[in-house]
Amino acid sequence: MEENPGDDTLASLLGAALLAEGAATEASRGPSAARPMRLMAVGLLESRARGSSNPRLLEPLARAYLD
């Protein structure tokens, strides 16, 4: 099965959205409430970024690791 390059863009946008939701949740309900969103972002982005040099995937993944 061929991967669609647009899938990387979609994954990066979804990962960034999950991180933004995590940040908003942390601000209102604390870090433990934000953890599930951040873990979802890591899981999504890690699976797409493995072996990739695409900064659209690597940048949000790096932010997810830092969060």
Side-chain angles (χ1 to χ4, degrees):
M1 174 197 253
E2 275 185 47
E3 288 190 20
N4 182 345
D7 290 347
D8 286 348
T9 300
L10 182 60
S12 71
L13 291 171
L14 181 54
L18 287 165
L19 293 174
E21 184 179 1
T25 300
E26 182 175 352
S28 65
R29 297 186 359 222
S32 62
R35 185 171 173 79
M37 273 91 50
R38 290 181 171 143
L39 291 175
M40 281 192 289
V42 168
L44 170 73
L45 295 166
E46 274 183 337
S47 66
R48 297 293 305 177
R50 193 165 289 127
S52 175
S53 60
N54 184 344
R56 289 188 145 244
L57 291 170
L58 299 175
E59 189 274 331
L61 179 58
R63 283 191 295 123
Y65 284 150
L66 289 172
D67 285 348

